[in-house]
Amino acid sequence: MGLGPSTKMTTLHHFRCPITKQLRQDKELDFCGVIVNGVSEGYDDKVFTAQRTGDIASCIGADGAIVAIDGWGNHHIDFVNVIEQLGIRGIPSVGMSYIGQQGRLVCTNQFVETIVDFNKNASGYESCILGDNNLNGYDAIKAVALLKRKMEKMGKLRRNMVIEEKRVRRLMRKNYPIQEIRFGRKTDISGGVLTIRKDIVENLVDSESPINEMDIRIIKPSEHHQFIHSNLDFMPLACKASGNLGDGETRFLTGVTAMLTGVEDVSGFQPSNIGSSEGFMDHCIRYNQAGTPNENDIIIHMDFLFQNGEGRTARGIREAHRLADQALEEIRQQIGYIEDMSYVTDEFFDVIRPNASRVILVKIVSGLGNMYDTAVFPDQPGGYIGARNLIDMRNIPVVITPNQCLDGAIHSLI
């Protein structure tokens, strides 16, 4: 048991994180930050990382917490342990998980009393449709409301006060709309048209690679009824124009999403954790979700043919994400040179509300290696190159700011 296609939080999902957006706009709460806690393999490590998460929450002075996870089964041990460690320290929490019929908790404790189940299927069972059971904005609204109610009952919610605000970090995102993508002699962005060098993926795969072939295609919205291999990730196309992740200026292409898929040579194995998601795009993707493309997006599709057996190794999966990011970097460089296009600006601020109730978000993410892994702090928003894999850090909890979450500090290798 672990993670199925319909629940997984892709890189795009973290970039759009519905819970982060909901918490930051609630003026009764001081949203202190996001703790990224990787799922561990051994029970002792699960307890250890949960304890460290509780320690961080206590040091921050959290009055409440939301704990969200996209895996289930064995991974619920991490989920339940984190909630327990928060409860022991007097920090009320609301859990968010896929439950339904298939994902019922394998263990529990006295502090696991409030869970938002983001199962969307009437059957209560996982599907192989990406985004079918995605945690969404409505789930986030419910979780925040339930948390505030629990905090109020425990005397931890400060109400009827004049809330002061101090903005400490500013992130400006310039959104450039793309109307057309085509292949050409060189990579360029002009007048809403993205041209990709037709041989952009040539020579990226070397003789020592666990990948035999890498292919890139452009899929228009009218062409979604075509077969694709099992999904490895959805990624935004964005670059830093100034500053670091979480501050400065980020440039973001709207109307386009990068999609990674793959299959093994010889065996035909479709890389997956629980249930692969190969099939016709318009049947195996639920569009317009936090972790999936919008139905009118143009898809930059990068497909990988793994050596036999390498679609089931950390080496193979990491290499696919690295190669995809390497190809996308050429597009990112051109985003930085855009001069002749109009854009819409979004501003994000990390805000301190010193006399409001302090809350945190705990994201329990993949950390077991192979397909089920997560990396943090890439060089570019939503990228992979430069990031640190959680499994390599023994899944020790990492604290990021709300702005860093929405600026692509988390990359999913699932």
Side-chain angles (χ1 to χ4, degrees), residues 94-149:
V94 170
M96 302 187 73
S97 176
Y98 170 80
I99 303 291
Q101 294 294 323
Q102 191 174 14
R104 287 175 288 182
L105 296 178
V106 298
C107 59
T108 188
N109 59 60
Q110 68 189 80
F111 300 105
V112 183
E113 55 183 10
T114 311
I115 296 179
V116 174
D117 178 5
F118 49 78
N119 165 60
K120 306 293 190 297
N121 286 338
S123 69
Y125 286 83
E126 268 262 40
S127 73
C128 289
I129 301 172
L130 285 154
D132 202 24
N133 288 304
N134 239 189
L135 187 159
N136 61 26
Y138 183 64
D139 298 320
I141 291 171
K142 289 193 291 184
V144 173
L146 287 167
L147 178 62
K148 290 173 70 174
R149 184 64 184 271

Side-chain angles (χ1 to χ4, degrees), residues 181-252:
I181 304 179
R182 62 194 180 197
F183 288 114
R185 186 175 59 84
K186 66 176 184 177
T187 301
D188 179 68
I189 303 173
S190 180
V193 177
L194 166 60
T195 302
I196 301 174
R197 180 167 58 90
K198 61 183 178 181
D199 55 353
I200 193 170
V201 301
E202 287 187 15
N203 303 317
L204 288 183
V205 179
D206 60 41
S207 59
E208 302 298 320
S209 176
I211 293 170
N212 286 340
E213 296 176 14
M214 175 182 180
D215 183 47
I216 185 168
R217 293 186 294 164
I218 298 166
I219 303 178
K220 300 176 183 178
S222 61
E223 300 171 340
H224 285 187
H225 189 67
Q226 60 177 280
F227 181 87
I228 58 171
H229 291 126
S230 193
N231 182 273
L232 304 178
D233 198 18
F234 286 116
M235 297 170 58
L237 270 77
C239 75
K240 294 302 298 183
S242 65
N244 302 308
L245 291 177
D247 60 32
E249 179 186 321
T250 293
R251 295 187 170 193
F252 173 50

Side-chain angles (χ1 to χ4, degrees), residues 400-413:
I400 66 175
T401 70
N403 270 5
Q404 287 173 333
C405 181
L406 298 178
D407 204 21
I410 305 174
H411 183 94
S412 296
L413 281 88

